[in-house]
């Protein structure tokens, strides 16, 4: 039976995608090279491990929306599911290196986006959990199929700077905010009545009015 190991060696931003996309350089090592691999239908669950890094400065405040007050982080900091990814590898003998594509969202209703945005520097501790099917030929040339062992995983620390560079490339000088339809219609109506040129100016006017009325 084929035995595979996995390691993430690097990451880069795909600059020519229709939506934000990271490409993780994945190295797949065949620990049984006498059984050449024809193809791997690979699935990957990617999790964020918040307890594997320190938090400084404004990060405590920026992450309070996600984890609550820092005094409670001993209870609230838990592993978070970020996303799932999948791909098919080419045939290989001892090892191969492929790009694992991971689509990224900038929706601030999603916990992972809040976490990435809340970090000022450093990196994001990730854990990649692998599963899927391995197609290979045995010693007599017969086609065989086996499953990737459920214990196969690897850790990688994604630089926060890579995430920020990606979002700046796809959303230059802006952030992406999703509103419920009724809230959007109210804001749109306010903007039209006030004759304001952009939604940003409508929000800024409302925020200034709220600040001025605050005790």
């Amino acid at each position: 039976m084929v035995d595979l190991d996995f390691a993430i060696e690097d990451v880069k931003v795909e600059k020519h995608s229709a939506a934000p996309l990271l490409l993780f350089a994945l190295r797949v090592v065949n620990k049984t090279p006498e059984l050449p691999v024809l193809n791997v239908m690979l699935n990957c669950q990617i999790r964020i491990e918040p307890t594997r890094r320190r938090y400084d400065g404004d990060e405590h405040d920026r992450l309070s929306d996600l984890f609550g007050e820092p005094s409670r982080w001993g209870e609230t900091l838990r592993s978070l599911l970020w996303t799932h990814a999948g791909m098919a590898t080419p045939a290989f003998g001892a090892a191969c290196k492929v790009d694992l594509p991971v689509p990224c969202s900038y929706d601030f209703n999603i916990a992972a986006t809040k976490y990435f945005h809340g970090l000022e520097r450093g990196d994001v501790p990730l854990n990649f959990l692998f599963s899927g099917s391995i197609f290979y030929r045995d010693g007599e040339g017969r086609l065989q199929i086996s499953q990737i062992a459920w214990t196969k995983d690897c850790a990688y620390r994604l630089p926060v700077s890579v995430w920020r560079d990606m979002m700046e490339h796809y959303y230059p000088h802006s952030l992406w905010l999703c509103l419920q339809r009724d809230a959007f219609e109210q804001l749109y109506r306010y903007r039209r009545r006030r004759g304001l040129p952009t939604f940003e100016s409508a929000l800024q006017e409302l925020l200034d009015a709220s600040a001025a009325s605050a005790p």
Side-chain angles (χ1 to χ4, degrees):
M1 181 180 296
V2 172
D3 186 14
L4 303 180
D5 274 347
F6 303 88
I8 301 293
E9 298 183 338
D10 199 4
V11 64
K12 64 181 179 181
V13 177
E14 172 53 68
K15 297 294 184 67
H16 304 289
S17 174
L21 183 70
L22 288 174
L23 298 176
F24 288 88
L26 173 64
R27 184 172 179 80
V28 186
V29 176
N30 183 2
K31 298 172 66 178
T32 50
E34 68 276 7
L35 300 175
V37 174
L38 300 176
N39 174 263
V40 181
M41 300 298 295
L42 185 65
N43 299 312
C44 182
Q45 180 186 120
I46 308 174
R47 304 189 67 86
I48 300 170
E49 304 293 345
T51 59
R52 296 183 180 177
R53 60 157 287 162
R54 297 177 60 86
Y55 301 92
D56 302 303
D58 291 338
E59 291 176 341
H60 292 95
D61 178 62
R62 293 160 69 94
L63 293 171
S64 61
D65 182 43
L66 191 57
F67 300 121
E69 293 299 317
S71 60
R72 299 185 56 242
W73 283 14
E75 304 172 5
T76 59
L77 255 64
R78 293 291 184 270
S79 175
L80 300 173
L81 172 62
W82 176 18
T83 190
H84 290 86
M87 63 167 302
T89 73
F92 64 95
C96 76
K97 187 173 180 179
V98 293
D99 284 334
L100 176 66
V102 177
C104 301
S105 172
Y106 211 21
D107 184 350
F108 276 81
N109 291 319
I110 297 175
T113 303
K114 294 179 181 179
Y115 182 78
F116 288 130
H117 184 72
L119 302 179
E120 296 181 336
R121 61 186 68 85
D123 46 40
V124 180
L126 300 176
N127 194 28
F128 292 73
L129 308 174
F130 297 98
S131 62
S133 300
I134 308 169
F135 298 82
Y136 67 99
R137 295 194 183 278
D138 62 18
E140 298 180 2
R142 294 172 298 190
L143 178 64
Q144 303 290 327
I145 304 175
S146 63
Q147 297 299 306
I148 296 172
W150 65 270
T151 55
K152 297 297 182 176
D153 64 353
C154 71
Y156 183 74
R157 304 186 78 88
L158 169 66
V160 174
S161 59
V162 172
W163 170 268
R164 293 188 178 277
D165 289 346
M166 174 180 64
M167 291 310 179
E168 182 62 24
H169 174 76
Y170 283 93
Y171 303 101
H173 309 296
S174 60
L175 300 176
W176 195 90
L177 181 63
C178 180
L179 299 176
Q180 291 189 357
R181 185 174 290 107
D182 56 350
F184 171 81
E185 292 297 342
Q186 292 181 59
L187 180 62
Y188 194 22
R189 191 179 305 114
Y190 178 85
R191 174 191 164 187
R192 295 196 306 269
R193 286 203 305 261
R194 300 289 295 173
L196 300 171
T198 64
F199 286 105
E200 288 85 351
S201 56
L203 286 170
Q204 190 61 57
E205 186 172 284
L206 289 169
L207 290 171
D208 291 344
S210 176
S213 63

